[in-house]
Amino acid sequence: MTQKKERIPFWRSYQFSRTAWSIIRGVIVLGLCFIILRPFITKIGISFMEERDLYDASVKYVPKHFTLDNYKLAWESMDYPATFMRTFYLSFVTALLQLASCLLTGYAFARFRFPGKNILFAGVILMLIVPPQVNMLPMFMNFRFFDVFGIAESVRGEPINLIDTPYPFFIQAITTTGFKNGLYIFMFRQFFKGMPKELEEAAFVDGYGHFQTFLKIMVPSATSMMVTVFLFSFVWQWTDTFYASMYLPTSKVMSGAISGLAAEVSAKYSDFGGSLSFVSPGFTSIMNNTATVLLVVPLIVLYIFGQKYFVESIARSGMVA
């Protein structure tokens, strides 16, 4: 007689295990997404509220008294179009210069041998550890009295004042001493180290030199990493408050426009002829949240177009290991 095959209960089957794991994984992902996105969702909700909604315990994320006046006030007080273009120019040029300088430096660390290579790369890693506040005073003095080998003083009679100009950002970017440049160099080094050496050897056989090989073989292969570094640099420069407040004390950029916005709006639109000295915490919160949304929205649009390259390059750089 043939023995009957024992029927496995559904809750012990492979299909049930797979479905249960998918549900658990979905719940975990949704929970993490909520934790990450909750602050921004809260800011969006507050930006559409009237001040009385902040003191209403029944209002959480959706305003009872919906208004667009907050955006109108923030837009006018920030001088948003001019501030946007000024910040875009600064961030775009700085990101391009950082991309070019860090691309060359990362390739050199990955593919060439030269004296002091390990010591120099240790300096790159040190750039990731040491906070910029440590050298803020010498950097400020360097650009306040900028001179190279005393040339400016001998020609003009005094050093050049680069404060309140974008040139400190550009100089630091092109010399790989700017904000987060150590990270960008490390990313490019990891990427180029993972590329097969046979590509370069084949290029040398075809008569290419080192520079031609870099431009025609290595750079096209690093497109995804270049887009990622550009996005990182652009976003961090766009949201930077430390260097912007140090090098641009009077020039308004997006991140600096948020500071003191509530007091500026209150003084400008006060019913007491601009003499109102007290700004309520609720109004300050609304203006700050509204300005933050205006600051972040362009970055979200930028990420939507570059997310494909961003995910691909992070996976290939070895940073997830």
Side-chain angles (χ1 to χ4, degrees):
M1 295 180 64
T2 58
Q3 188 175 5
K4 291 184 178 180
K5 187 176 181 180
E6 184 180 356
R7 186 175 181 180
I8 301 176
F10 175 72
W11 60 273
R12 294 179 57 187
S13 65
Y14 172 75
Q15 183 179 1
F16 176 81
S17 301
R18 185 176 179 181
T19 303
W21 170 241
S22 299
I23 295 174
I24 295 173
R25 183 174 55 188
V27 171
I28 294 174
V29 170
L30 287 175
L32 292 175
C33 290
F34 177 77
I35 293 173
I36 296 172
L37 295 177
R38 181 179 177 273
F40 187 63
I41 294 173
T42 303
K43 290 182 181 297
I44 294 176
I46 293 176
S47 67
F48 291 107
M49 293 181 184
E50 292 185 1
E51 186 173 353
R52 50 182 166 172
D53 287 346
L54 294 180
Y55 307 112
D56 190 341
S58 63
V59 176
K60 191 64 176 176
Y61 300 108
V62 181
K64 276 187 178 180
H65 305 89
F66 185 88
T67 179
L68 294 176
D69 291 341
N70 301 328
Y71 283 96
K72 180 181 177 181
L73 294 176
W75 183 282
E76 294 176 354
S77 298
M78 292 173 66
D79 192 14
Y80 192 82
T83 304
F84 176 90
M85 294 306 300
R86 191 181 302 114
T87 310
F88 181 85
Y89 166 74
L90 176 64
S91 302
F92 185 80
V93 176
T94 301
L96 282 182
L97 294 176
Q98 285 186 329
L99 175 62
S101 60
C102 295
L103 179 67
L104 288 168
T105 307
Y107 180 72
F109 277 120
R111 293 303 197 185
F112 294 103
R113 294 181 180 179
F114 50 88
K117 173 182 174 180
N118 294 332
I119 297 177
L120 290 175
F121 189 71
V124 172
I125 301 300
L126 193 64
M127 291 174 63
L128 300 173
I129 302 173
V130 178
Q133 289 81 359
V134 172
N135 61 348
M136 62 177 296
L137 181 58
M139 293 301 296
F140 177 83
M141 297 300 295
N142 181 44
F143 291 114
R144 172 60 182 84
F145 305 98
F146 186 77
D147 201 352
V148 180
F149 303 120
I151 297 175
E153 189 168 0
S154 61
V155 174
R156 302 174 68 250
E158 60 180 359
I160 304 173
N161 180 14
L162 295 181
I163 301 300
D164 262 335
T165 70
Y167 296 112
F169 300 92
F170 300 162
I171 293 173
Q172 285 190 276
I174 202 65
T175 56
T176 65
T177 57
F179 191 44
K180 302 289 186 180
N181 275 23
L183 174 63
Y184 309 148
I185 294 172
F186 177 78
M187 291 172 64
F188 276 125
R189 174 183 177 271
Q190 294 299 103
F191 182 86
F192 286 125
K193 282 190 69 175
M195 295 187 67
K197 293 184 178 180
E198 289 76 12
L199 290 174
E200 291 175 305
E201 294 173 354
F204 294 152
V205 171
D206 290 339
Y208 284 3
H210 288 289
F211 192 67
Q212 286 180 309
T213 302
F214 171 72
L215 284 181
K216 297 183 178 181
I217 304 298
M218 307 303 284
V219 170
S221 302
T223 301
S224 59
M225 179 57 68
M226 291 169 63
V227 172
T228 298
V229 170
F230 178 83
L231 287 175
F232 274 158
S233 177
F234 186 92
V235 170
W236 275 324
Q237 184 60 55
W238 184 276
T239 58
D240 168 59
T241 57
F242 177 76
Y243 285 110
S245 61
M246 184 168 65
Y247 296 142
L248 302 172
T250 60
S251 300
K252 184 180 289 187
V253 292
M254 292 292 291
S255 58
I258 300 177
S259 178
L261 177 63
E264 180 180 346
V265 173
S266 180
K268 185 175 181 181
Y269 297 98
S270 173
D271 295 333
F272 301 97
S275 60
L276 185 65
S277 59
F278 173 76
V279 182
S280 68
F283 185 75
T284 301
S285 176
I286 289 175
M287 285 294 99
N288 289 340
N289 283 282
T290 304
T292 301
V293 174
L294 291 175
L295 172 73
V296 172
V297 166
L299 302 181
I300 296 176
V301 175
L302 180 66
Y303 175 75
I304 290 174
F305 288 100
Q307 62 174 328
K308 175 184 176 182
Y309 299 98
F310 178 81
V311 175
E312 177 183 348
S313 62
I314 290 298
R316 295 185 60 183
S317 66
M319 291 183 64
V320 296

